[in-house]
Amino acid sequence: GIVQVDEDGVREWSTLVRPAMRIPEHIERLTGISNDMVAGAPPFEDIADEVFDRLQGRLFVAHNARFDHGYLRAAFRRAGMDIRPRVLCTVKLSRRLFPDHRRHSLDHLIERHGLDVSARHRALGDAQLLWQFWQRLHERFAPGTIAEAVRELIGQPSLPPNLEPDALADI
């Protein structure tokens, strides 16, 4: 699921994906997605070009972004593609902007900011929650404050002089 926001407005896109293995029972319970639901869905390779086009050159925003970004990069790699979007983790953003709060899970953000939940633990539903969170931030903070926090969080890590930037991405 993707919520795409730009000068043309807000657009949403989602599809089920047929995984290469069976969905474990605990994941079925968490997401509500069953093996029967994905039996006729396309494999990632069949939608990789479309997902790539929707993400390439954009800021990839996710909660616990390291997990989602790593998973997507690995899926693209298996499909013979390489994607390297700038990444913003909303856990880190929440910690930066709300240092007085101890917990920054998506469930805590839902409660703290009064976000409307439509489909928790589903890709599009969680992406919609992050879009709502982003809007709440702009109700509370000046745009410059948010922009500075984002700039600091998406900045490239400093690397030793003998380490190529691609080496870090491949780890």
Side-chain angles (χ1 to χ4, degrees):
I2 298 171
V3 174
Q4 189 173 333
V5 182
D6 57 27
E7 62 278 349
D8 295 328
V10 179
R11 293 172 306 290
E12 297 178 351
W13 177 87
S14 70
T15 185
L16 290 173
V17 176
R18 186 174 65 236
M21 62 186 87
R22 292 190 54 75
I23 300 171
E25 190 175 311
H26 71 281
I27 299 297
E28 282 189 358
R29 283 193 306 272
L30 180 68
T31 64
I33 300 172
S34 69
N35 286 292
D36 289 341
M37 291 170 67
V38 298
F44 184 79
E45 295 76 25
D46 289 359
I47 62 163
D49 286 335
E50 183 165 5
V51 175
F52 185 92
D53 290 344
R54 291 177 181 278
L55 298 178
Q56 183 63 18
R58 299 185 181 279
L59 179 62
F60 179 83
V61 179
H63 210 69
N64 276 329
R66 185 179 352 174
F67 174 81
D68 292 337
H69 180 251
Y71 187 85
L72 270 174
R73 288 226 31 223
F76 276 116
R77 199 172 299 127
R78 286 189 301 274
M81 303 170 79
D82 186 34
I83 189 165
R84 297 175 190 260
R86 293 173 301 145
V87 178
L88 174 64
C89 178
T90 52
V91 172
K92 292 179 180 180
L93 182 61
S94 180
R95 286 181 183 144
R96 176 72 50 99
L97 295 174
F98 300 97
D100 51 322
H101 291 281
R102 276 188 17 174
R103 301 184 185 264
H104 300 274
S105 71
L106 194 48
D107 290 327
H108 285 96
L109 296 187
I110 289 166
E111 183 179 327
R112 188 176 308 135
H113 300 287
L115 307 179
D116 293 324
V117 180
S118 64
R120 183 71 178 96
H121 297 291
R122 298 286 290 265
L124 183 58
D126 286 356
Q128 291 166 333
L129 287 170
L130 295 183
W131 172 233
Q132 288 179 55
F133 175 60
W134 183 256
Q135 293 173 84
R136 294 293 195 286
L137 292 179
H138 282 81
E139 293 167 2
R140 183 163 180 170
F141 295 97
T145 301
I146 298 167
E148 179 60 27
V150 168
R151 205 171 13 261
E152 290 173 10
L153 291 171
I154 66 171
Q156 296 296 320
S158 59
L159 300 174
N162 60 338
L163 185 63
E164 294 294 323
D166 287 346
L168 183 61
D170 291 338
I171 293 177

